[in-house]
Protein backbone atom coordinates (compact mmCIF):
# COMPACT_ATOMS: atom_id res chain seq x y z
CA UNK A 1 0.00 0.00 0.00
CA UNK A 2 1.30 3.44 -0.93
CA UNK A 3 2.11 5.79 1.93
CA UNK A 4 -0.45 8.55 2.43
CA UNK A 5 0.17 12.27 2.39
CA UNK A 6 -0.24 14.08 5.68
CA UNK A 7 -1.79 17.56 5.42
CA UNK A 8 -1.19 19.64 8.53
CA UNK A 9 -0.90 23.28 9.66
CA UNK A 10 2.29 25.18 8.84
CA UNK A 11 4.99 25.41 11.52
CA UNK A 12 7.87 27.87 11.46
CA UNK A 13 10.25 24.92 11.24
CA UNK A 14 8.68 24.03 7.87
CA UNK A 15 10.40 27.01 6.21
CA UNK A 16 13.84 25.38 6.42
CA UNK A 17 12.53 21.93 5.45
CA UNK A 18 10.73 23.33 2.41
CA UNK A 19 13.74 25.40 1.34
CA UNK A 20 15.89 22.25 1.50
CA UNK A 21 13.39 20.24 -0.57
CA UNK A 22 13.05 23.03 -3.12
CA UNK A 23 16.82 23.36 -3.45
CA UNK A 24 17.13 19.63 -4.17
CA UNK A 25 15.04 20.24 -7.29
CA UNK A 26 17.01 23.34 -8.26
CA UNK A 27 13.85 25.43 -7.85
CA UNK A 28 13.39 28.76 -6.13
CA UNK A 29 10.35 30.18 -4.34
CA UNK A 30 10.60 33.95 -4.25
CA UNK A 31 6.95 34.96 -4.02
CA UNK A 32 6.73 37.94 -1.70
CA UNK A 33 4.82 37.19 1.49
CA UNK A 34 4.77 33.43 0.99
CA UNK A 35 5.47 31.45 4.16
CA UNK A 36 8.89 30.66 2.66
CA UNK A 37 9.72 34.36 2.15
CA UNK A 38 8.30 36.02 5.28
CA UNK A 39 7.28 39.66 5.28
CA UNK A 40 6.02 41.65 8.28
CA UNK A 41 3.36 43.29 6.07
CA UNK A 42 1.63 39.95 5.42
CA UNK A 43 -0.11 37.18 7.31
CA UNK A 44 -0.45 33.68 5.97
CA UNK A 45 -2.87 30.85 6.74
CA UNK A 46 -0.99 27.80 5.53
CA UNK A 47 -0.85 24.04 5.45
CA UNK A 48 1.89 21.68 4.32
CA UNK A 49 1.95 18.21 2.82
CA UNK A 50 4.37 15.64 4.16
CA UNK A 51 5.33 12.40 2.47
CA UNK A 52 7.80 10.01 4.02
CA UNK A 53 8.50 12.61 6.73
CA UNK A 54 9.53 15.20 4.13
CA UNK A 55 7.66 18.44 3.32
CA UNK A 56 6.67 18.18 -0.35
CA UNK A 57 4.33 21.14 -0.78
CA UNK A 58 2.27 23.87 0.80
CA UNK A 59 -0.74 26.08 0.20
CA UNK A 60 -1.26 29.48 1.76
CA UNK A 61 -3.91 32.14 1.81
CA UNK A 62 -1.85 35.29 2.14
CA UNK A 63 -3.34 38.51 3.51
CA UNK A 64 -1.86 41.79 2.32
CA UNK A 65 -3.82 44.81 3.42
CA UNK A 66 -7.48 43.93 2.94
CA UNK A 67 -6.87 41.38 0.20
CA UNK A 68 -6.30 37.63 0.44
CA UNK A 69 -4.65 35.59 -2.30
CA UNK A 70 -4.01 31.89 -2.71
CA UNK A 71 -0.58 30.42 -3.37
CA UNK A 72 0.14 26.72 -3.92
CA UNK A 73 3.42 24.90 -4.46
CA UNK A 74 3.89 21.15 -4.87
CA UNK A 75 7.21 19.46 -5.60
CA UNK A 76 7.32 18.22 -9.21
CA UNK A 77 7.48 14.52 -8.24
CA UNK A 78 4.24 14.86 -6.26
CA UNK A 79 2.06 16.74 -8.73
CA UNK A 80 -1.07 14.89 -9.89
CA UNK A 81 -0.37 12.06 -7.45
CA UNK A 82 -3.16 9.90 -6.10
CA UNK A 83 -6.90 9.86 -6.69
CA UNK A 84 -7.21 13.51 -5.72
CA UNK A 85 -4.36 15.82 -6.73
CA UNK A 86 -2.22 16.87 -3.79
CA UNK A 87 -2.49 20.53 -4.73
CA UNK A 88 -6.26 20.43 -4.29
CA UNK A 89 -5.94 18.76 -0.90
CA UNK A 90 -3.60 21.58 0.12
CA UNK A 91 -5.98 24.24 -1.24
CA UNK A 92 -8.82 22.76 0.83
CA UNK A 93 -6.67 22.96 3.97
CA UNK A 94 -5.56 26.55 3.32
CA UNK A 95 -9.14 27.68 2.59
CA UNK A 96 -10.33 26.09 5.83
CA UNK A 97 -7.58 27.91 7.76
CA UNK A 98 -8.48 31.22 6.06
CA UNK A 99 -12.19 30.75 6.77
CA UNK A 100 -11.38 30.04 10.44
CA UNK A 101 -9.38 33.30 10.53
CA UNK A 102 -12.42 35.25 9.30
CA UNK A 103 -11.37 35.81 5.69
CA UNK A 104 -14.41 36.22 3.45
CA UNK A 105 -12.97 36.23 -0.10
CA UNK A 106 -9.86 34.75 -1.71
CA UNK A 107 -8.40 35.42 -5.15
CA UNK A 108 -6.13 33.20 -7.20
CA UNK A 109 -4.12 33.67 -10.40
CA UNK A 110 -3.50 30.63 -12.59
CA UNK A 111 -1.65 30.08 -15.82
CA UNK A 112 -3.83 29.34 -18.83
CA UNK A 113 -1.31 26.55 -19.56
CA UNK A 114 -2.25 24.67 -16.38
CA UNK A 115 -5.56 23.16 -17.52
CA UNK A 116 -5.73 20.75 -14.57
CA UNK A 117 -5.49 23.59 -12.04
CA UNK A 118 -8.10 25.63 -13.92
CA UNK A 119 -10.54 22.70 -13.84
CA UNK A 120 -9.89 21.93 -10.18
CA UNK A 121 -10.32 25.61 -9.23
CA UNK A 122 -13.78 25.60 -10.76
CA UNK A 123 -14.62 22.37 -8.89
CA UNK A 124 -13.61 24.12 -5.65
CA UNK A 125 -15.99 27.00 -6.39
CA UNK A 126 -13.58 29.60 -7.76
CA UNK A 127 -15.18 31.78 -10.43
CA UNK A 128 -13.31 33.65 -13.19
CA UNK A 129 -12.96 37.42 -12.80
CA UNK A 130 -12.54 38.04 -16.53
CA UNK A 131 -10.36 37.07 -19.46
CA UNK A 132 -6.65 36.47 -19.59
CA UNK A 133 -4.49 39.17 -18.08
CA UNK A 134 -2.18 41.30 -20.18
CA UNK A 135 1.12 43.09 -19.65
CA UNK A 136 3.57 41.62 -17.16
CA UNK A 137 1.02 39.03 -16.01
CA UNK A 138 -0.27 38.04 -19.45
CA UNK A 139 -1.25 34.45 -19.84
CA UNK A 140 -2.94 34.14 -16.47
CA UNK A 141 -6.56 34.01 -15.37
CA UNK A 142 -7.78 35.58 -12.16
CA UNK A 143 -10.36 33.77 -10.02
CA UNK A 144 -12.13 34.44 -6.76
CA UNK A 145 -14.02 32.45 -4.16
CA UNK A 146 -16.33 33.58 -1.41
CA UNK A 147 -15.66 31.70 1.84
Amino acid sequence: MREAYVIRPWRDSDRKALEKSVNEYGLNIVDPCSPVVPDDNCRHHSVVAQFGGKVVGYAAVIEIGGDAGLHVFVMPDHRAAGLRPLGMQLVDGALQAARAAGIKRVTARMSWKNAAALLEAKKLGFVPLGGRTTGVNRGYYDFEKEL
Side-chain angles (χ1 to χ4, degrees), residues 92-112:
D92 276 345
L95 292 176
Q96 288 174 20
R99 190 177 295 114
I103 294 174
K104 304 288 185 216
R105 182 173 83 70
V106 174
T107 60
R109 176 167 283 166
M110 290 169 235
S111 170
W112 64 273

Side-chain angles (χ1 to χ4, degrees), residues 5 7 14 26 43 54 56 90 92-93 102 108 121-122 134-135 139 145:
Y5 289 97
I7 310 295
D14 292 327
R43 286 185 350 149
K54 186 175 185 180
V56 297
L90 286 165
D92 276 345
K122 289 179 181 178
T134 59
K145 177 178 175 64

Side-chain angles (χ1 to χ4, degrees), residues 67-124:
D67 296 322
L70 177 67
H71 183 266
V72 182
F73 179 80
V74 177
M75 297 295 173
D77 291 353
H78 297 273
R79 295 175 184 167
L83 295 174
R84 183 150 186 263
L86 179 57
M88 294 306 105
Q89 295 177 54
L90 286 165
V91 168
D92 276 345
L95 292 176
Q96 288 174 20
R99 190 177 295 114
I103 294 174
K104 304 288 185 216
R105 182 173 83 70
V106 174
T107 60
R109 176 167 283 166
M110 290 169 235
S111 170
W112 64 273
K113 295 177 183 179
N114 191 344
L118 295 170
L119 289 172
E120 291 295 331
K122 289 179 181 178
K123 288 180 188 175
L124 288 171

Side-chain angles (χ1 to χ4, degrees), residues 106-108 110 118 121-123 125-132 140-145:
V106 174
T107 60
M110 290 169 235
L118 295 170
K122 289 179 181 178
K123 288 180 188 175
F126 281 87
V127 294
L129 290 173
R132 265 190 348 200
Y140 289 85
Y141 287 102
D142 290 326
F143 290 82
E144 73 176 353
K145 177 178 175 64

Side-chain angles (χ1 to χ4, degrees), residues 132-140:
R132 265 190 348 200
T133 57
T134 59
V136 173
N137 293 311
R138 73 174 179 259
Y140 289 85

Side-chain angles (χ1 to χ4, degrees), residues 25-79:
Y25 284 95
L27 303 173
N28 189 14
I29 299 176
V30 294
D31 296 331
C33 296
S34 79
V36 181
V37 184
D39 184 320
D40 290 338
N41 297 314
C42 312
R43 286 185 350 149
H44 67 90
H45 311 282
S46 308
V47 294
V48 298
Q50 281 186 293
F51 186 80
K54 186 175 185 180
V55 175
V56 297
Y58 77 93
V61 173
I62 301 166
E63 289 183 87
I64 305 171
D67 296 322
L70 177 67
H71 183 266
V72 182
F73 179 80
V74 177
M75 297 295 173
D77 291 353
H78 297 273
R79 295 175 184 167

